[in-house]
Amino acid sequence: MSERLKDLQRQRALAQEQMAWLDREIARETGAQVPPPPAPITRAAALQPAMPSSADGDAIMARYQDPGRSVHSETKRGCFLYFFVALGAVALGVIAFWFLRYR
């Protein structure tokens, strides 16, 4: 029996249990005779999430890990990039101020 089928059957059993509870509550509120609760439903074993073993996890990490640059070099590169962009913005501001003020 597939895992999906087991899960669907478990969901159906839960829905049937909820509907039986709703019927009992409606009957109680309307004053009708309350039907006896159904026999307890045997629940299918709870599905365990598929947890990869540590070897599988290592293989997954190795597949997606970039052996290229380190975090330190990426951070350094980003800082230099921001510095030169800011320096260029200041230089453009000074040039624009000079043209607007003295020309």
Side-chain angles (χ1 to χ4, degrees):
M1 189 180 296
S2 72
E3 292 296 322
R4 178 165 163 67
L5 179 59
K6 287 179 185 177
D7 187 42
L8 290 171
Q9 288 174 338
R10 184 179 62 83
Q11 291 293 327
R12 181 181 62 192
L14 290 172
Q16 288 172 344
E17 185 178 321
Q18 184 178 17
M19 291 304 298
W21 177 82
L22 284 170
D23 289 340
R24 287 191 309 272
E25 291 298 314
I26 290 171
R28 184 175 296 136
E29 289 297 319
T30 59
Q33 182 180 359
V34 178
I41 298 173
T42 57
R43 299 185 189 276
L47 296 177
Q48 298 295 328
M51 298 292 290
S53 67
S54 63
D56 293 339
D58 293 338
I60 292 170
M61 290 295 291
R63 183 173 21 165
Y64 291 108
Q65 193 172 22
D66 183 20
R69 302 179 186 131
S70 68
V71 174
H72 175 73
S73 64
E74 288 291 322
T75 304
K76 187 175 181 180
R77 181 174 163 234
C79 287
F80 279 127
L81 179 68
Y82 281 126
F83 172 75
F84 286 118
V85 166
L87 187 65
V90 168
L92 286 175
V94 169
I95 291 170
F97 178 74
W98 185 78
F99 271 114
L100 291 175
R101 186 76 169 149
Y102 295 110
R103 285 220 160 200

